[in-house]
Amino acid sequence: MVAFLRLALRRVAMMPVMVLGIALLVFVVLQFSPTDPAYNALGESASPEARAAFAEANGLDDPLPVRYFAFLGDLLRGDLGVTMSPSQPVTDRIATAFPLTLQLTLLGLTLAVVLALLFGVLSAVYRDRWPDQVFRVLSMAGIALPSFWIGVLLIQQFSLNMPLFPTGGYVNPADSFSGWIESMTLPALSLALPVASSLARLIRTSMVTELDRDYVRTARGSGLPPFLIIRSVLRNALVTPLTVLGVKVGYMLSGAVVIEAIFDLPGMGKLILEGVNGGDVGLVQGTVLTIAIAFLAVNVVVDLLYLLVNPRIRTV
């Protein structure tokens, strides 16, 4: 336990450093945007004098290091600036949009893990038989199809041909939980299926390797129930898939941006598109930075889960 706490504190202590690096990268990249924040705020017909006054008041013409440290100071205070039109704090817009993206990502992740465990374990148990062959074909198809195309196919099949789910829109769970389930099912499946397919193949490979080990033969020879053997094997087999899970969550966070656009969900994806289309660098900067920090936090959590599942690395 002491070794686990030491490694956990080491992972958490690295977060501020990585956040500073992410903030620097996001800030520098967006400084090369061809749009001028002054003209975006004042309008293209603004005079050069008005543009110069606006730039001086907001520090737009300051050297890049000065602007970065000003941005960093605002970030440490929780101030991400204001949107161009209408003028609203970026943090307020993110506070409204981010919970929906988080809901979509967590629901998609839950579906992906459940499907991956189901298909991966069954495929390993029935390896080289027809269930294994069917699951392997399905997993290859799931990996090959991008999430946005899966979303379009799901809308075509389950919203138009068989009107079981809405084509888009969002229902707050506080207003109607069943409506929330209906509005989030197809978007979550669109995110989950490619991730589930990839994880299922990893779980199958790890399970097959573990099932061939000597301790499994000994357990079978001792007459242990198959359920207990599978449970023990699964814990050892999950070490490798867990290392990939953090990356997959990042994929789902970024994929949610596209899925939200397809299903007309007012999440972070809508904010990014709004900022890009409107040339609102501050809005894009705030949303991208929030998603990046969320991705970082998820990876730290996955690292801690990895430490719990694989005690051998606690001595490293």
Side-chain angles (χ1 to χ4, degrees), residues 236-255:
N236 294 331
L238 285 180
V239 173
T240 301
L242 269 179
T243 61
V244 182
L245 187 60
V247 178
K248 295 300 182 182
V249 174
Y251 162 82
M252 297 183 81
L253 278 171
S254 59

Side-chain angles (χ1 to χ4, degrees), residues 156-220:
Q156 178 70 34
Q157 182 62 35
F158 297 106
S159 296
L160 300 179
N161 296 340
M162 299 169 57
L164 300 176
F165 299 97
T167 57
Y170 174 71
V171 177
N172 194 306
D175 298 330
S176 172
F177 184 75
S178 61
W180 177 77
I181 291 293
E182 291 178 357
S183 65
M184 298 292 283
T185 297
L186 295 187
L189 274 175
S190 303
L191 281 179
L193 290 178
V195 175
S197 301
S198 178
L199 288 177
R201 290 179 62 84
L202 287 175
I203 292 173
R204 179 199 178 276
T205 302
S206 298
M207 285 282 294
V208 168
T209 301
E210 291 294 324
L211 287 171
D212 288 336
R213 296 190 183 277
D214 291 337
Y215 76 90
V216 176
R217 298 190 187 96
T218 302
R220 286 171 176 166

